[in-house]
Amino acid sequence: MKTVRDYIRTIPDFPHEGIMFRDVTTLFGDARGFRMAIDQLLHPYAGTPIDKVVGLEARGFILGGAIAHQMSVGFVPIRKKGKLPGKTVEQAYQLEYGEAVMELHDDALQPGEKVLLVDDLLATGGTAEAGIRLIERLGAQVTGCAFVIDLPELGGARRLQNLGMQVHSLCAFEGL
């Protein structure tokens, strides 16, 4: 029987030499694989009160939208700076080659709302931490962080757990 990991393609030397890119588009393109991933991402949160699903740009939108639909809750995108049309709050975070900024509409979440944060890949945890900071600045509470892939050597899960977050990943790949 296939697992979620079996649907993920690895592309060597992308976007740089020495990187093993974990491509989830092959997972998304297969109806059974995609359904399996959504079901497994939801499973730990069955019975947990969640008001909104927040997806990190860009593949987190695909997963988050499907999860929000299944949970019958709203979906909220966290985007790269300059992509949202309304008033926003922003959070800078470090990349291996510099700094980036994520934004969230300032009225996207209400104080006290319970939120599930979703993305395809957890590497260093910088993007997810920026998302958590934005969610918390609006007064909402992160109930959990769900990812398809964890790259444990990069320490992202540990970083988020040190922030008090519950982290759920469907599979892990060693190396970069």
Side-chain angles (χ1 to χ4, degrees), residues 30-90:
D30 185 281
R32 285 179 189 241
F34 188 53
R35 180 62 185 209
M36 180 189 305
I38 297 304
D39 289 347
Q40 289 178 13
L41 287 167
L42 281 166
H43 182 74
Y45 306 101
T48 303
I50 293 176
D51 301 303
K52 299 267 175 67
V53 174
V54 173
L56 297 171
E57 188 163 327
R59 291 172 296 273
F61 297 171
I62 298 164
L63 296 162
I67 291 168
H69 173 76
Q70 285 298 108
M71 298 180 97
S72 297
V73 300
F75 172 76
V76 175
I78 291 182
R79 302 218 53 198
K80 294 175 183 171
K81 184 174 176 72
K83 300 283 187 171
L84 292 172
K87 189 174 176 196
T88 62
V89 291
E90 62 182 50

